[in-house]
Amino acid sequence: MAILELTNISKHFGAIQAVNDISLSLAAGEVVGLMGDNGAGKSTLVKMIAGNYRPSHGTMRMEDRELVMHKPVEARQHGIEIVHQDLALCNNLTAAANVFLGRELRLGLGPLKILDYAGMYKRAGQIFAELKSETRPRDLVKQMSGGQRQAVAIARTRLSNAKIVLMDEPTAAISVRQVAEVLNLIRLLRDQGIAVVLISHRMPDVFAVADRIIVLRRGRKVADKKIAKTSPEEVTGLITGAIEQV
Amino acid sequence: MSTTANTMAKTIEQKQQSWLSEKLNSQTFWVFIAVVFACLFLTFATDSFATTKNLYNITRNVTFVAIIALGMTLVIITGGIDLSVGSVLCLCSMVLGVTMHAGYGIEVGIAAAIATSLIVGAFHGVLIAYIGMPSFVVTLGTLSVARSLAMVASGNTVVFEFGPDHDLLLALGGGAWFFGIANPVLYMIVLALITGFVLRWTRFGRYVYAIGGNEHAARLTGVPVRPIKVAVYMISSLSAGIAGIIQTGWLGAITTNIGAGLELQVIAAAVIGGAALAGGVGTATGAIIGAALIEVIRNSLGLLGINAFWQGCFIGGAILLAVLFDRVRNFRQNDE
Ligand SMILES: Nc1ncnc2c1ncn2[C@@H]1O[C@H](COP(=O)(O)OP(=O)(O)OP(=O)(O)O)[C@@H](O)[C@H]1O
Ligand SMILES: [Mg+2]
């Protein structure tokens, strides 16, 4: 059963047609690899699902209800989490503050609520341990390595019981060992029945975890195939345009 | 077993070290030390520094710059700047004065002044956050407009009669109701505590830092960037309005050139206190300490018999030293 269903979704920025008439569906417990050249529209597509952009045309349905979102907060309320391509981190804040950015834990009743520092440090620490990351919750993101920064961005998706996790190049800046950790995490999410969209330029990563591959070219969907029915060569051809469409 | 204990002891040690090094690395801390040393030096070098009267004057004089520096610090943390505060102070004072002069009570006068400041701040916020104009340009415009409006409102005359609540207004700004501490100092302390609390303990404060750190990231993660920016500019104007009300009570008269050039002192105070113009960094304590350093410099020049014309050099020097210190610290960190 489809958990998310996009029908004829388009997005244009002025004259730029970033996403053009894309339909796709996502099932629970499914990992979909989303591939395409630079500027193909991958980030724009997932940002619409994450409530950052509103589609210019088309409809989104989640669990058979129409999904209309104005803010990222609403997407999270629906159980949609995203790791942004540029990680969306504030260097001047601690790891824990970044993890909870936009949904801080607070204490107190009524209008005067204060930030629950202890609670956020504790929860962030637990998540980092789960992710087998050495990131410390109190450290400033400014001083962190690429892998630690990535862990902070990924930790955000673990705050709630997500149904859909969108990962926009989560393995772009990290070591081989950490890539393996991220891929393991994706499998773990899948086993929990979460639908995962993985955007990556790294063919081996996608072929290692994805059940299905969707290829975008210049804003259009040119392929949507089970992983068993395709090959890295074919996908490369589809990305570059050597193969028109399948 | 013992290795675990060892690592734990090490972690704790590291934590203490990092706390200490954090203090030693903070610009605010060193500026505070500078203020303390300057005060000690002046106490022994002059007869007139550590007198009740002089200390009373210093603490009171600090407040006007310090109160506005609190609001300015918020703006600077978000990565913006507010050049209009001196003129907004003048406009709000004038609104207060003209309203009370016309026979209205002090509540009406203060309400009108505060409303004026909030409207000006909201106007800035909307142009900056929703239309996307640079804060520098928007507030530079108001720097000119607000003072001009103050002249229009008063017919460019001096207002010194404040109607039925005249004495109350003067007592509010010029009195010392508790333990001989000048009233403005009390207002400053209360406002500093509120600002410090908001920055450290509320979600609003957290968002202010987040916007200064990475506005794009803040927006992507769902921080309501625009409303927060509007609020920040309103707070900045409000702090100028409050300072204007207090200063009117203290001076007992308003001319259309009060607060001229004040914005530079306020920004200097915030920056000396550790606020980074690039955004993301700054504290309420820093704003107060920065303002204190400026006032101590001013006061000491007078007491030491140094020509007042040198004042600008010393204040400018303090700004450069504080920021230079910050750079040196960054170099050190990058070396590690
Ligand atoms: N906010 C925006 N305003 C204007 N144009 C945009 C915006 N975001 C994306 N675009 C344009 O939309 C197109 C698709 O961009 P998008 O970021 O979705 O590509 P992508 O597939 O994620 O590429 P990459 O692999 O480089 O991350 C590009 O031409 C880009 O310039
Ligand atoms: Mg992208």
Side-chain angles (χ1 to χ4, degrees):
Chain A
M1 194 204 80
I3 185 167
L4 182 75
E5 184 100 45
L6 308 192
T7 322
N8 306 113
I9 290 283
S10 297
K11 176 77 191 174
H12 52 81
F13 300 103
I16 301 172
Q17 191 76 36
V19 167
N20 201 344
D21 201 27
I22 289 186
S23 301
L24 61 85
S25 70
L26 263 184
E30 183 185 36
V31 180
V32 172
L34 186 57
M35 304 197 72
D37 208 347
N38 294 123
K42 307 178 296 294
S43 298
T44 307
L45 183 64
V46 291
K47 277 182 178 164
M48 285 190 278
I49 303 173
N52 292 121
Y53 296 150
R54 285 168 74 183
S56 314
H57 299 287
T59 53
M60 299 194 276
R61 299 178 71 79
M62 186 170 175
E63 294 172 322
D64 284 322
R65 268 175 301 145
E66 178 143 5
L67 200 55
V68 181
M69 298 175 296
H70 306 272
K71 294 182 276 194
V73 183
E74 293 169 27
R76 295 198 289 248
Q77 280 162 358
H78 284 105
I80 302 171
E81 295 284 342
I82 183 167
V83 180
H84 284 286
Q85 181 165 12
D86 54 8
L87 304 181
L89 299 178
C90 295
N91 279 329
N92 59 334
L93 300 181
T94 61
N98 269 288
V99 170
F100 282 91
L101 195 56
R103 49 180 145 177
E104 289 70 16
L105 298 183
R106 291 186 297 166
L107 293 172
L109 287 172
L112 188 72
K113 290 207 180 95
I114 60 165
L115 294 175
D116 178 9
Y117 278 87
M120 288 192 276
Y121 285 141
K122 185 155 167 264
R123 184 80 188 97
Q126 286 168 352
I127 298 175
F128 291 137
E130 262 170 50
L131 297 176
K132 300 197 179 59
S133 164
E134 269 116 53
T135 313
R136 288 180 301 256
R138 289 164 199 265
D139 284 1
L140 290 181
V141 165
K142 193 184 332 199
Q143 304 154 349
M144 289 185 178
S145 71
Q148 289 174 320
R149 297 168 63 88
Q150 211 115 23
V152 173
I154 290 176
R156 285 178 178 154
T157 65
R158 306 296 292 148
L159 282 180
S160 62
N161 290 320
K163 293 175 184 156
I164 300 172
V165 173
L166 311 163
M167 296 194 172
D168 199 346
E169 306 205 26
T171 54
I174 56 183
S175 71
V176 179
R177 188 178 66 82
Q178 285 165 327
V179 168
E181 291 296 347
V182 172
L183 297 184
N184 274 334
L185 172 71
I186 292 174
R187 292 190 189 98
L188 182 87
L189 297 176
R190 179 196 60 199
D191 294 343
Q192 292 171 358
I194 297 169
V196 181
V197 175
L198 171 64
I199 299 178
S200 177
H201 289 293
R202 296 161 53 113
M203 204 68 77
D205 295 355
V206 176
F207 273 81
V209 292
D211 303 306
R212 191 150 59 94
I213 289 195
I214 293 176
V215 181
L216 303 190
R217 191 166 66 239
R218 302 218 193 103
R220 290 186 177 276
K221 185 168 100 169
V222 293
D224 188 341
K225 287 183 100 173
K226 287 266 182 241
I227 205 97
K229 300 226 169 84
T230 184
S231 63
E233 293 72 30
E234 187 185 39
V235 172
T236 309
L238 285 161
I239 292 172
T240 57
I243 305 173
E244 198 46 49
Q245 181 139 24
V246 289
Chain B
M1 197 41 215
S2 74
T3 43
T4 334
N6 257 339
T7 26
M8 267 184 67
K10 224 181 232 160
T11 328
I12 291 167
E13 200 172 291
Q14 273 170 3
K15 210 167 236 157
Q16 282 166 350
Q17 266 176 10
S18 76
W19 182 85
L20 189 69
S21 72
E22 199 181 297
K23 273 276 163 286
L24 291 179
N25 259 331
S26 109
Q27 183 178 328
T28 316
F29 175 77
W30 288 107
V31 173
F32 176 70
I33 296 290
V35 173
V36 171
F37 267 94
C39 289
L40 285 176
F41 170 75
L42 291 165
T43 306
F44 293 111
T46 68
D47 299 332
S48 36
F49 180 77
T51 59
T52 322
K53 186 155 180 296
N54 190 46
L55 289 179
Y56 181 89
N57 280 337
I58 288 189
T59 49
R60 185 200 51 213
N61 289 350
V62 167
T63 59
F64 306 113
V65 169
I67 288 174
I68 309 176
L70 289 170
M72 181 70 76
T73 296
L74 257 68
V75 170
I76 291 179
I77 294 174
T78 63
I81 195 84
D82 188 347
L83 297 177
S84 71
V85 287
S87 299
V88 171
L89 176 139
C90 177
L91 176 62
C92 293
S93 301
M94 214 42 113
V95 168
L96 172 75
V98 170
T99 312
M100 289 180 70
H101 183 73
Y104 292 98
I106 192 166
E107 324 78 49
V108 181
I110 290 181
I114 292 208
T116 307
S117 72
L118 291 176
I119 291 169
V120 172
F123 176 72
H124 290 160
V126 168
L127 288 187
I128 293 161
Y130 287 88
I131 316 283
M133 292 171 69
S135 56
F136 190 96
V137 176
V138 171
T139 56
L140 185 63
T142 309
L143 170 87
S144 182
V145 171
R147 190 166 301 279
S148 154
L149 286 179
M151 291 176 181
V152 173
S154 64
N156 206 13
T157 54
V158 181
V159 182
F160 54 88
E161 284 167 339
F162 300 109
D165 287 337
H166 181 94
D167 294 335
L168 183 56
L169 177 66
L170 265 54
L172 205 67
W177 292 340
F178 295 99
F179 313 113
I181 301 170
N183 282 348
V185 178
L186 298 175
Y187 306 142
M188 174 190 77
I189 292 172
V190 170
L191 292 173
L193 288 175
I194 295 176
T195 312
F197 176 83
V198 165
L199 281 176
R200 169 126 178 89
W201 287 104
T202 68
R203 188 164 64 180
F204 174 83
R206 171 66 53 86
Y207 289 170
V208 169
Y209 284 107
I211 292 171
N214 185 344
E215 185 171 335
H216 180 64
R219 187 166 291 142
L220 282 179
T221 48
V223 171
V225 171
R226 287 172 171 155
I228 300 244
K229 277 183 144 182
V230 174
V232 161
Y233 285 94
M234 288 175 76
I235 291 170
S236 176
S237 291
L238 176 65
S239 67
I242 291 175
I245 295 167
I246 302 168
Q247 198 172 33
T248 304
W250 167 55
L251 290 172
I254 317 163
T255 62
T256 47
N257 60 8
I258 62 167
L262 188 65
E263 57 281 345
L264 296 183
Q265 277 185 51
V266 170
I267 295 168
V271 169
I272 290 174
L277 288 175
V281 183
T283 57
T285 334
I288 303 293
I289 292 174
L293 184 69
I294 291 183
E295 181 56 31
V296 169
I297 291 175
R298 274 201 331 189
N299 188 269
S300 63
L301 296 183
L303 296 184
L304 296 170
I306 299 171
N307 191 328
F309 295 154
W310 284 101
Q311 192 177 303
C313 288
F314 280 91
I315 292 176
I319 299 176
L320 291 181
L321 265 181
V323 177
L324 186 68
F325 177 84
D326 194 48
R327 292 309 305 161
V328 172
R329 187 186 60 185
N330 278 334
F331 285 141
R332 269 224 316 264
Q333 267 175 6
N334 291 345
D335 280 352
E336 284 168 3

